[in-house]
Amino acid sequence: MSYLWLKAFHIMAIVTWFAALFYLPRLYVYHTLALQEEDSKASERFKIMERKLYRGIMMPSMLAVVLLGLGLLSLNFSGYMQQGWMHAKLLLVALLLIYHFWCGHLLKRFAEDRNQQTHVWYRVFNELPVFLLIFIVLLAVIKPW
């Protein structure tokens, strides 16, 4: 597969992954509010929505991002590894992967009715991938080092 095809599919997977990364913690905000109101029907609905989003969209798109990214890296691995911006970008992607799996951990807590965070905490948590996205895009486009 050519570089441009890999890059195009990589970007599409990134968009899909980030949509899920932005939406799942927002569902956690609303789920927490439903729990505060002791609305068990809403809580069960949120559990289904969260599970389907994580397993059906977030995981497959994350895997596509990683595999396509590795494919792109493999086209000129030694060249990319000599560029400082790529090291910084890969570090931020690693943090994003940690965030992704942290969302999965929180999903399990909600599924087991063991959520310990407030809706305010989830509102702050929801903003973390925004900063990672900004820095990753800036590094990939500007390539400062």
Side-chain angles (χ1 to χ4, degrees):
M1 188 179 282
S2 77
Y3 170 77
L4 291 178
W5 282 100
L6 277 173
K7 188 174 181 180
F9 284 110
H10 183 62
I11 291 168
M12 287 183 258
I14 290 167
V15 170
T16 305
W17 189 28
F18 268 95
L21 285 169
F22 292 152
Y23 190 50
L24 184 60
R26 179 55 51 181
L27 287 176
Y28 293 161
V29 169
Y30 301 136
H31 194 161
T32 302
L33 291 171
L35 290 171
Q36 286 177 351
E37 296 170 3
E38 298 181 10
D39 186 346
S40 61
K41 279 183 139 181
S43 178
E44 292 306 312
R45 192 175 316 118
F46 280 118
K47 288 178 186 179
I48 293 166
M49 292 169 64
E50 293 158 358
R51 186 186 73 247
K52 287 183 176 185
L53 178 62
Y54 188 79
R55 292 183 185 161
I57 297 172
M58 206 159 141
M59 283 298 287
S61 59
M62 179 273 296
L63 290 171
V65 167
V66 170
L67 293 174
L68 291 163
L70 290 172
L72 287 166
L73 275 174
S74 73
L75 296 176
N76 185 14
F77 186 77
S78 61
Y80 282 127
M81 290 299 103
Q82 294 175 1
Q83 299 177 41
W85 68 269
M86 182 57 78
H87 289 270
K89 179 186 170 203
L90 292 174
L91 173 65
L92 294 176
V93 170
L95 292 174
L96 199 56
L97 289 166
I98 291 168
Y99 182 88
H100 172 100
F101 289 110
W102 192 3
C103 284
H105 170 72
L106 295 169
L107 177 83
K108 287 179 187 175
R109 282 187 148 170
F110 274 109
E112 297 168 353
D113 295 318
R114 293 188 310 116
N115 173 50
Q116 298 174 340
Q117 306 301 337
T118 67
H119 69 93
V120 174
W121 187 89
Y122 286 111
R123 288 178 196 278
V124 174
F125 180 74
N126 187 222
E127 302 305 322
L128 297 178
V130 173
F131 296 108
L132 291 170
L133 175 65
I134 290 168
F135 292 119
I136 290 168
V137 169
L138 288 175
L139 286 168
V141 172
I142 297 171
K143 298 174 178 55
W145 320 287

